[in-house]
Amino acid sequence: MSRLEKRPEPSRRMMLASPLIAAAAMLLTGSVLFFFLGQEPLRAFHVYFIKPWTTLYGVGELLLKATPLILCGVGLAIGFRASVANIGADGQLTIGAIAAGAVALYFDQVEAWWVLPLMLAAGALGGMLWAAIPALLRTRFNTSEILVSLMLVYVAYHLLSYLVHGPMRDPDGFNFPQSKMFSESATLPLLVEGLRVNAAFILSLLAAAAAWFFCKHTFAGYRMQVSGMAPAAALYAGFSEPRNVWLAFMVSGALAGVAGVGEVAGPLGQMQPSVSAGYGFAAIIVAYVGRLHPLGVVLSALLMSLLYIGGETAQIELQVPSAITGMFQGLLLFYLLAADLFIHYRFKPRKRHLPAVVGEAA
Amino acid sequence: MIDTALLIAFLASTAGAATPLVVASMGELVTERSGVLNLGMEGMMLVGAVTGFGVTLATGQMWLGLLAAMAAGMAMSLIFGFLVLTLQTNQVATGLALTLFGIGVSAFMGRGFVGQTVERMPQLTFPLLSEMPFVGPLLFRFDGMVYASVALVVLIGWMLARTRLGLVIRAVGESPHSAHAIGFPVIALRYGTVLFGGAMAGLGGAYLSLALTPMWVEGMTAGRGWIALAQVVFATWKPRGVLVGAYLFGGVTVLQFHGQGLGLAIPSEFLSMLPYLATIVVLVIICRNPQTILLNKPMSLGQNFKAD
């Protein structure tokens, strides 16, 4: 038996390696699972994880799916760094989509450049408004932001459902629960003709860069990091906890709201009963796997996006249920958390008496 | 005027809606009393729901389904326990991972069950008592789980307050280091409470798919795992509080089905929001007085323990 020994200081190398270890372990588990599903593991692996990269369309889809994950993930990471747990990004995304949708449908007949910026602003504000509720209740009444932000996700889903069945429903839509298609000026421009990836992807990269600057080069970012890593030191230094909570929720709410705009003004092009494929929840994994670092988030969002796209490809080509995507997502986070053990500990093999034996032989 | 028959139906279905919350919350309550916060309730309930349904469908034996659901919940919580107790991972992040994993696993396991049904868990009837007007339908016409859940609250309450095991669980939750110092096996005990929490979450989930709506629908817990977590806070970590809270929420939940009969002219989506909004409101009421929380919350809740 070997045992764990505490490292004198956290290993920087393991900090960077553990997401890679987690990804590798997840891929391995995936191959084993494919085997038990009666697939040839190598072929299944190729279809799931390699194929999406091999066509231009596939890459476009990867970037498209990565967009909401980057936007939500960057925002959540900023909060998680300060131990502010916003788990309700999916609700904030939904409200952002609703606000943008309301603008798009109201200015349906208007063809002007300002419709899109107005939608983005409305989406960001909507997300912030929804995020303000857990922030307010946490700072005023000490109510768990985890539970409140989560409850609001379900409220947002029902609100969207009400709107697409009622006020926002397309009057000429044969009673389908969806809105009219948005006009040209309420639709995000595509980055490359023929692909579905749109301008929101650029926004997500800008958000990641801004977040990197915020964390690395501003005092507010420093304050938040200290509060997360050493709450006692932050208290002693007089850093305000409510300010961190508000900042984290406003930033992540706004970004999740913009992610919602990216969906309805992008690939969907209209309001539908569901605008998110669980992006707000997947973004939690994205944030952790990205080491709560904005640039790491971009990379892990691409990995996560690959899980979504690979799942769809595998469903079509191998008749493998797409539900395994969710399993892979959860597994990835499990493996990451387990691999993180080696940041603080290392294996110490039990000493054997080999040297003595070697000595006798010589 | 509100119809008496309707009122009886409303009150009686409240018990059905409350029961999964009672069972799952009692499991989480015991886990939290030992100082471990498991946010994976939603995932464990979903896996319990799909396992209970699948096994009942395959064997025709509901009790096997319930047992399998408990085993599945325990298997899920064992993953959590291994990560948190043995590998010392962050409890919040690990619990979230368990929920996300459970959503995926249950969808994967349940893909063949969509559209199938099993026979609903049977109502118990008591001679004479069940036939009494008013009292009969309100008290004596439920399935066995409703009665078992109330018994569970009494039993756990007694266990925590009056037995040696309860004392040790509370000691570990308050101060694992002192408990360790006087020779209690902190980690082993926490494994026990985590597994119990998993079993109860699985059972609560199975009640959804076997009794409340006897079928499997992806994501059918619809946040009940999170509401069960909130219940433990409302109850300020006391068993009888769970019972009160769960019946309150059961009532709010069934309002959406009886809303129109009771004369509420509100779109159904808004009635469906009620349980979540009510959860937030009650959380605020309980948490706004920090003393109630501080006095009752297990001191080491959410903190890992490693013997040196």
Side-chain angles (χ1 to χ4, degrees):
Chain A
M1 261 296 277
S2 41
R3 61 184 201 90
L4 291 175
E5 184 190 67
K6 201 164 173 76
R7 292 179 192 270
E9 54 189 273
S11 155
R12 266 194 79 81
R13 201 160 14 136
M14 271 314 296
M15 234 182 270
L16 295 175
S18 80
L20 301 177
I21 296 174
M26 188 212 53
L27 297 181
L28 194 67
T29 315
S31 310
V32 173
L33 190 72
F34 285 133
F35 177 75
F36 282 108
L37 287 171
Q39 301 288 343
E40 196 191 321
L42 273 182
R43 177 171 130 75
F45 190 88
H46 182 263
V47 169
Y48 203 109
F49 298 112
I50 310 285
K51 202 154 184 215
W53 294 102
T54 56
T55 62
L56 188 62
Y57 184 76
V59 173
E61 290 294 291
L62 276 171
L63 301 184
L64 176 69
K65 285 269 182 201
T67 302
L69 295 171
I70 296 173
L71 284 166
C72 294
V74 162
L76 295 185
I78 289 178
F80 291 164
R81 283 169 91 102
S83 294
V84 180
N86 176 6
I87 309 300
D90 225 45
Q92 291 142 25
L93 185 157
T94 302
I95 297 295
I98 290 173
V103 171
L105 295 172
Y106 188 80
F107 293 111
D108 190 36
Q109 304 301 327
V110 179
E111 275 177 41
W113 63 269
W114 47 263
V115 175
L116 261 178
L118 193 65
M119 284 169 73
L120 286 167
L125 267 174
M128 282 164 87
L129 181 78
W130 215 237
I133 302 168
L136 179 76
L137 298 183
R138 159 80 191 265
T139 51
R140 289 274 305 211
F141 302 115
N142 210 21
T143 314
S144 158
E145 77 275 20
I146 296 181
L147 292 173
V148 173
S149 62
L150 241 155
M151 291 295 117
L152 288 172
V153 171
Y154 296 96
V155 177
Y157 289 166
H158 284 298
L159 186 64
L160 175 64
S161 167
Y162 164 72
L163 290 171
V164 294
H165 282 94
M168 283 188 175
R169 186 163 59 186
D170 181 0
D172 308 320
F174 306 102
N175 253 346
F176 279 112
Q178 56 194 32
S179 79
K180 254 190 214 181
M181 292 303 288
F182 292 174
S183 69
E184 186 79 11
S185 52
T187 312
L188 284 161
L190 297 176
L191 286 187
V192 182
E193 210 46 54
L195 304 184
R196 296 201 302 161
V197 57
N198 59 49
F201 179 68
I202 304 294
L203 287 179
S204 75
L205 293 184
L206 289 177
W212 175 79
F213 182 82
F214 171 79
C215 293
K216 189 97 183 165
H217 293 292
T218 65
F219 186 54
Y222 171 73
R223 266 195 323 245
M224 291 184 78
Q225 185 154 8
V226 172
S227 309
M229 281 171 22
L235 193 70
Y236 183 71
F239 295 167
S240 150
E241 199 201 1
R243 191 161 51 184
N244 282 343
V245 172
W246 273 105
L247 193 62
F249 268 99
M250 290 302 96
V251 171
S252 57
L255 291 178
V258 170
V261 184
E263 291 306 295
V264 291
L268 300 180
Q270 63 180 162
M271 300 303 292
Q272 292 185 354
S274 165
V275 294
S276 168
Y279 298 124
F281 294 109
I284 298 169
I285 305 175
V286 166
Y288 278 112
V289 174
R291 279 272 85 95
L292 306 184
H293 188 291
L295 304 183
V297 165
V298 173
L299 293 177
S300 72
L302 284 171
L303 174 65
M304 205 64 146
S305 163
L306 180 62
L307 291 185
Y308 276 109
I309 307 287
E312 287 169 13
T313 324
Q315 187 179 24
I316 296 163
E317 294 206 11
L318 309 169
Q319 282 80 48
V320 172
S322 66
I324 51 175
T325 298
M327 277 175 68
F328 285 162
Q329 291 178 349
L331 270 179
L332 182 62
L333 187 47
F334 279 144
Y335 283 131
L336 176 84
L337 292 166
D340 277 357
L341 174 78
F342 299 107
I343 294 174
H344 296 287
Y345 295 91
R346 67 177 151 220
F347 266 127
K348 176 136 187 166
R350 197 175 62 171
K351 285 206 180 72
R352 297 188 187 144
H353 296 290
L354 277 179
V357 178
V358 172
E360 275 168 22
Chain B
M1 274 285 91
I2 294 171
D3 191 339
T4 321
L6 203 73
L7 187 68
I8 290 179
F10 169 71
L11 290 173
S13 46
T14 295
T19 296
L21 290 178
V22 173
V23 175
S25 303
M26 287 314 295
E28 178 71 15
L29 186 138
V30 172
T31 309
E32 290 195 15
R33 273 296 186 96
S34 78
V36 182
L37 178 69
N38 185 351
L39 294 184
M41 293 295 281
E42 181 87 356
M44 297 192 295
M45 282 182 84
L46 275 170
V47 171
V50 74
T51 309
F53 185 83
V55 170
T56 306
L57 193 67
T59 64
Q61 301 288 334
M62 187 164 285
W63 63 273
L64 273 179
L66 293 174
L67 274 182
M70 287 170 73
M74 284 170 90
M76 289 283 286
S77 67
L78 189 62
I79 302 175
F80 175 83
F82 178 71
L83 285 166
V84 158
L85 300 173
T86 302
L87 299 186
Q88 303 282 310
T89 60
N90 176 302
Q91 295 186 9
V92 170
T94 311
L96 288 173
L98 191 70
T99 283
L100 295 168
F101 181 66
I103 293 171
V105 169
S106 61
F108 178 64
M109 288 167 67
R111 67 198 191 281
F113 304 152
V114 178
Q116 308 222 47
T117 51
V118 294
E119 206 166 321
R120 186 187 291 263
M121 195 180 283
Q123 266 180 13
L124 301 182
T125 47
F126 302 89
L128 297 178
L129 290 175
S130 302
E131 303 311 316
M132 284 162 67
F134 211 75
V135 185
L138 274 188
L139 291 178
F140 300 109
R141 282 193 204 163
F142 296 119
D143 55 64
M145 280 277 285
V146 173
Y147 302 108
S149 69
V150 178
L152 181 74
V153 174
V154 175
L155 203 70
I156 298 288
W158 171 77
M159 187 275 287
L160 283 172
R162 295 269 180 270
T163 67
R164 184 181 153 81
L165 176 65
L167 182 73
V168 179
I169 290 176
R170 284 185 291 140
V172 165
E174 291 301 326
S175 174
H177 290 280
S178 327
H180 174 70
I182 47 177
F184 293 135
V186 174
I187 298 293
L189 197 98
R190 283 187 167 178
Y191 260 108
T193 61
V194 164
L195 286 173
F196 178 75
M200 290 303 111
L203 190 61
Y207 188 80
L208 297 175
S209 61
L210 294 176
L212 213 54
T213 49
M215 58 180 174
W216 163 253
V217 182
E218 238 179 73
M220 70 184 299
T221 48
R224 283 188 185 84
W226 297 105
I227 295 182
L229 275 160
Q231 296 276 355
V232 179
V233 182
F234 307 154
T236 59
W237 292 270
K238 292 194 190 81
R240 59 173 182 277
V242 165
L243 201 60
V244 175
Y247 274 77
L248 188 72
F249 281 83
V252 176
T253 310
V254 295
L255 258 189
Q256 55 187 296
F257 304 114
H258 293 270
Q260 293 199 312
L262 292 169
L264 296 170
I266 304 172
S268 66
E269 285 93 351
F270 287 96
L271 291 171
S272 304
M273 291 176 193
L274 280 179
Y276 311 108
L277 292 174
T279 304
I280 295 174
V281 171
V282 181
L283 269 178
V284 169
I285 293 171
I286 300 288
C287 296
R288 62 184 297 183
N289 180 359
Q291 272 187 330
T292 17
I293 296 297
L294 281 178
L295 282 177
N296 294 299
K297 189 178 185 173
M299 284 292 283
S300 73
L301 186 62
Q303 294 163 15
N304 281 345
F305 167 80
K306 187 152 179 64
D308 296 310

